Amino acid sequence: MDGMSIILQGIRQMMDELFDGVEENDGIYRSFAEHLGVTDAGAVVEVLPEGGVNEEVSYPIIHFFITLASNVPKGIEKELGHSLNVLNNIISVGDFPSFGCFCYYPSLDQIYLSYRLPVHPEAPERELDNIRYYLGVLYEELDAFIDYIMYLCDNKGGSPDPDSYVEYLKNISDWDDIEERAKTLSEIFDEMKE
């Protein structure tokens, strides 16, 4: 078995363990991450191999594409773009470093997270360690920010105050205490509406 096949087989196994099931269609693996955030939302997690960015370089890419919201209300593109930019700054240079970027795709009315990871097929075990780390961080990232995304969709793209949201995330001492998270988040969103 070649290195890329080992990497893809390992990804499928990790996704099956983390997300409880994987479907495959035309080389794309698809799973569903459930029970994310206070809103108990879900996200479609897709993984597909792509060619490299340069034909002369033998590094293929694994593209992680996560759909967080579909049927996003029309007419909020400007506010949504600004809010997602704020979120991307939080994960790029803020207190919650993560991978990828959040985007809005108007043709399908979707908010998604995209991350492309170059992999070296001649070192499949090392690459699988990197992918395992990424998938663990991804689950935490989705759990932390899915409520922000759901709020954007429910409030016509209006952004929660990013500083308040980040402060809320910093003050979570027990991520498994959904009742406390829901109460605190509700208070923050109520303050923002006023």
Side-chain angles (χ1 to χ4, degrees), residues 76-100:
I76 64 170
E77 292 85 0
K78 183 177 178 183
E79 297 86 355
L80 192 56
H82 171 74
S83 298
L84 291 175
N85 186 50
V86 168
L87 179 57
N88 286 328
N89 284 328
I90 290 169
I91 67 171
S92 294
V93 295
D95 293 309
F96 291 90
S98 301
F99 297 97

Side-chain angles (χ1 to χ4, degrees), residues 9 20 29 51 74 80 84 87 106 118 123 135 137 144 146 150 163 182:
Q9 182 180 10
D20 198 26
Y29 298 146
K74 300 277 188 201
L80 192 56
L84 291 175
L87 179 57
L135 287 173
V137 170
I146 194 80
M150 295 299 104
D163 294 330

Side-chain angles (χ1 to χ4, degrees), residues 20 24 29 44 51 63 66 69 71 79 83 92 95 98 106 111 126 140 156 160 164 172 174:
D20 198 26
E24 182 179 354
Y29 298 146
V44 177
H63 188 181
I66 300 90
N71 301 318
E79 297 86 355
S83 298
S92 294
D95 293 309
S98 301
I111 297 174
R126 186 172 61 214
E140 293 173 3
K156 299 185 171 73
S164 295
I172 296 173
D174 181 2

Side-chain angles (χ1 to χ4, degrees), residues 16-36:
D16 192 38
E17 292 169 4
L18 187 60
F19 303 118
D20 198 26
V22 178
E23 295 176 10
E24 182 179 354
N25 187 7
D26 292 330
I28 299 171
Y29 298 146
R30 181 175 292 126
S31 291
F32 191 71
E34 298 180 290
H35 310 298
L36 299 169

Side-chain angles (χ1 to χ4, degrees), residues 10-152:
I11 290 172
R12 183 182 178 119
Q13 182 179 359
M14 284 182 242
M15 289 177 69
D16 192 38
E17 292 169 4
L18 187 60
F19 303 118
D20 198 26
V22 178
E23 295 176 10
E24 182 179 354
N25 187 7
D26 292 330
I28 299 171
Y29 298 146
R30 181 175 292 126
S31 291
F32 191 71
E34 298 180 290
H35 310 298
L36 299 169
V38 170
T39 55
D40 196 32
V44 177
V45 178
E46 295 174 301
V47 178
L48 58 144
E50 296 178 349
V53 294
N54 184 335
E55 290 180 18
E56 297 164 8
V57 179
S58 63
Y59 282 87
I61 294 170
I62 301 296
H63 188 181
F64 298 89
F65 188 90
I66 300 90
T67 304
L68 294 119
S70 55
N71 301 318
V72 174
K74 300 277 188 201
I76 64 170
E77 292 85 0
K78 183 177 178 183
E79 297 86 355
L80 192 56
H82 171 74
S83 298
L84 291 175
N85 186 50
V86 168
L87 179 57
N88 286 328
N89 284 328
I90 290 169
I91 67 171
S92 294
V93 295
D95 293 309
F96 291 90
S98 301
F99 297 97
C101 67
F102 292 92
C103 301
Y104 171 62
Y105 187 54
S107 299
L108 294 177
D109 297 320
Q110 292 179 336
I111 297 174
Y112 64 91
L113 172 67
S114 177
Y115 179 63
R116 285 185 165 95
L117 175 68
V119 294
H120 193 321
E122 293 177 23
E125 293 306 319
R126 186 172 61 214
E127 296 300 349
L128 285 171
D129 286 342
N130 290 333
I131 292 165
R132 186 174 296 107
Y133 176 74
Y134 169 70
L135 287 173
V137 170
L138 171 66
Y139 204 89
E140 293 173 3
E141 180 178 7
L142 295 176
D143 192 46
F145 294 110
I146 194 80
D147 296 319
Y148 188 93
I149 298 296
M150 295 299 104
Y151 185 88
L152 296 178

